[in-house]
Amino acid sequence: MISQNELINLIPSALDETNLPLPNKQAGKVRDWYDLPDGKRLIITTDRLSAFDRILARVPYKGQVLNQLSAWWFEQTKDIIPNHLLSMPDPNASIVTEVQPLLVEVIIRGYISGVTSTALWYRYSLGERNIYGYDFPEGLQKNQALPEPIITPTTKGGVTGHDERLTCAEVVSKGILDEQTWAKIQEAALSVFKRGQALAKQAGLILVDTKYEFGRAPDGSVMLIDEVHTPDSSRFWKADTYEARFFAGEDPENFDKEFVRIAYAEKGYRGDGEIPSMPNKLWAAASERYITIYEFLTGRTFEAGEYPVEQRLITNLKNTGVIS
């Protein structure tokens, strides 16, 4: 494992953005992407870390973990639904099929938990009992397992820049997706989530909840896109201590980036106003967490890519003919 001091020293050179000689660059919270010929797209996963819909920091090796872990999950779930991944020319880069992203984020929750404004437990703790169109009984406890995983969709950004809550019925009634497409996506999402829970269990983890994104390919088919079951898109708990901690009224041992959200929430920050500053040790700990969860889930040893990333990335893209 890379030492904490080494990770702290790498923070200034963590990958913040790219400016490649390719057309139509776009940038999201974590990824940069560029158009390629023949209906393909280049996606670069940077080291930017976001939470509460805000970019908070850069975390060494975060982009590499997200890119490689998503590729692993795409392989594990391709029998359930096709995905957009074609190849990986660099640890931080993927070449994918260009699709039209569907304007809904598919959140699946297996437990009543979370500290963000859209999380089930946060809404429940405010007194809400009908959340995302589901009725919840009195007396539920924080971090309690739900009888079955539920889908709680959100918009992608919305007019405020934040994800806005939807019910499953509203996805169709508001014209975001047609009924047939939405039914197919829900079925696929629940199947991918159950596959994720099973594989996480083998690694000693509980897949608590996750976010999926889907796109429509040129032939009209629906594909799983973006990322799958990463510390960014999902929350994991340690399985062997969950039950004892739950009955003791203690939070589970989280094994994702939730501890970053909690650190900000403890300072009263949930995405609005000035972003509080945090010590570099928090970002080194985040890097350690990302690397460890990659190794837990895949059973592989993490092989750190060369830093700084930019020159290595350009060399690999030239060697594979992506750029000249």
Side-chain angles (χ1 to χ4, degrees):
M1 176 62 73
I2 305 165
S3 73
Q4 187 175 84
N5 283 339
E6 288 176 301
L7 292 171
I8 289 174
N9 290 336
L10 285 173
I11 290 173
S13 58
L15 182 61
D16 185 36
E17 64 175 342
T18 61
N19 289 288
L20 301 174
L22 291 168
N24 300 326
K25 175 189 173 181
Q26 298 181 64
K29 293 170 191 157
V30 174
R31 291 169 179 81
D32 297 344
W33 58 94
Y34 301 83
D35 289 347
L36 295 177
D38 304 319
K40 298 176 183 177
R41 177 168 284 178
L42 174 67
I43 297 179
I44 309 298
T45 308
T46 73
D47 292 327
R48 300 191 295 263
L49 184 145
S50 72
F52 306 107
D53 291 324
R54 296 288 183 268
I55 296 171
L56 303 177
R58 294 178 297 166
V59 172
Y61 301 115
K62 176 182 177 291
Q64 180 180 343
V65 166
L66 263 58
N67 195 52
Q68 294 182 332
L69 183 57
S70 289
W72 186 84
W73 279 113
F74 281 138
E75 181 66 24
Q76 308 308 311
T77 58
K78 66 181 183 181
D79 62 312
I80 298 173
I81 184 170
N83 60 71
H84 69 164
L85 180 63
L86 298 172
S87 64
M88 290 174 51
D90 179 87
N92 286 69
S94 291
I95 295 176
V96 302
T97 301
E98 186 173 9
V99 302
Q100 181 64 43
L102 301 179
L103 299 179
V104 60
E105 294 190 344
V106 182
I107 317 297
I108 298 191
R109 305 178 192 271
Y111 293 74
I112 183 164
S113 186
V115 300
T116 65
S117 62
T118 57
L120 282 184
W121 176 252
Y122 182 71
R123 308 312 308 182
Y124 189 88
S125 69
L126 294 178
E128 296 182 26
R129 293 298 177 265
N130 184 278
I131 312 170
Y132 292 102
Y134 298 94
D135 290 321
F136 292 86
E138 296 292 337
L140 294 182
Q141 302 298 311
K142 184 181 181 184
N143 305 319
Q144 184 173 341
L146 298 172
E148 291 290 336
I150 63 172
I151 295 177
T152 61
T154 69
T155 62
K156 294 184 66 173
V159 296
T160 65
H162 291 286
D163 299 335
E164 303 293 339
R165 293 184 290 160
L166 295 167
T167 66
C168 285
E170 285 175 332
V171 174
V172 175
S173 67
K174 291 190 174 184
I176 299 172
L177 293 175
D178 65 86
E179 187 173 356
Q180 183 178 6
T181 299
W182 180 228
K184 181 176 182 178
I185 285 173
Q186 290 180 90
E187 181 182 4
L190 287 168
S191 295
V192 172
F193 186 73
K194 289 178 180 178
R195 177 72 55 81
Q197 285 189 313
L199 292 175
K201 185 178 180 180
Q202 293 177 16
L205 299 173
I206 296 171
L207 175 58
V208 181
D209 47 37
T210 195
K211 170 183 70 71
Y212 301 124
E213 296 196 35
F214 295 86
R216 196 180 298 279
D219 64 2
S221 63
V222 174
M223 285 186 166
L224 183 61
I225 65 171
D226 195 50
E227 61 183 322
V228 181
H229 300 159
T230 71
D232 267 22
S233 67
S234 312
R235 291 191 304 140
F236 296 91
W237 295 334
K238 285 193 173 181
D240 60 352
T241 58
Y242 164 74
E243 188 171 327
R245 293 176 72 96
F246 175 75
F247 285 111
E250 300 173 353
D251 283 336
E253 289 186 78
N254 66 72
F255 214 66
D256 45 57
K257 74 172 185 182
E258 183 71 0
F259 78 104
V260 173
R261 294 190 188 96
I262 291 171
Y264 277 91
E266 287 175 348
K267 288 196 171 188
Y269 183 76
R270 296 182 184 273
D272 296 315
E274 185 177 351
I275 300 174
S277 62
M278 291 291 186
N280 281 340
K281 284 187 177 181
L282 178 68
W283 309 124
S287 183
E288 291 173 334
R289 181 71 59 91
Y290 277 78
I291 291 168
T292 302
I293 198 168
Y294 169 86
E295 294 184 335
F296 269 42
L297 290 170
T298 67
R300 301 171 180 173
T301 300
F302 179 74
E303 297 181 7
E306 182 181 352
Y307 263 63
V309 174
E310 289 91 334
Q311 189 54 55
R312 182 203 77 209
L313 174 65
I314 290 171
T315 298
N316 285 334
L317 292 178
K318 285 182 177 180
N319 290 342
T320 53
V322 178
I323 61 176
S324 57

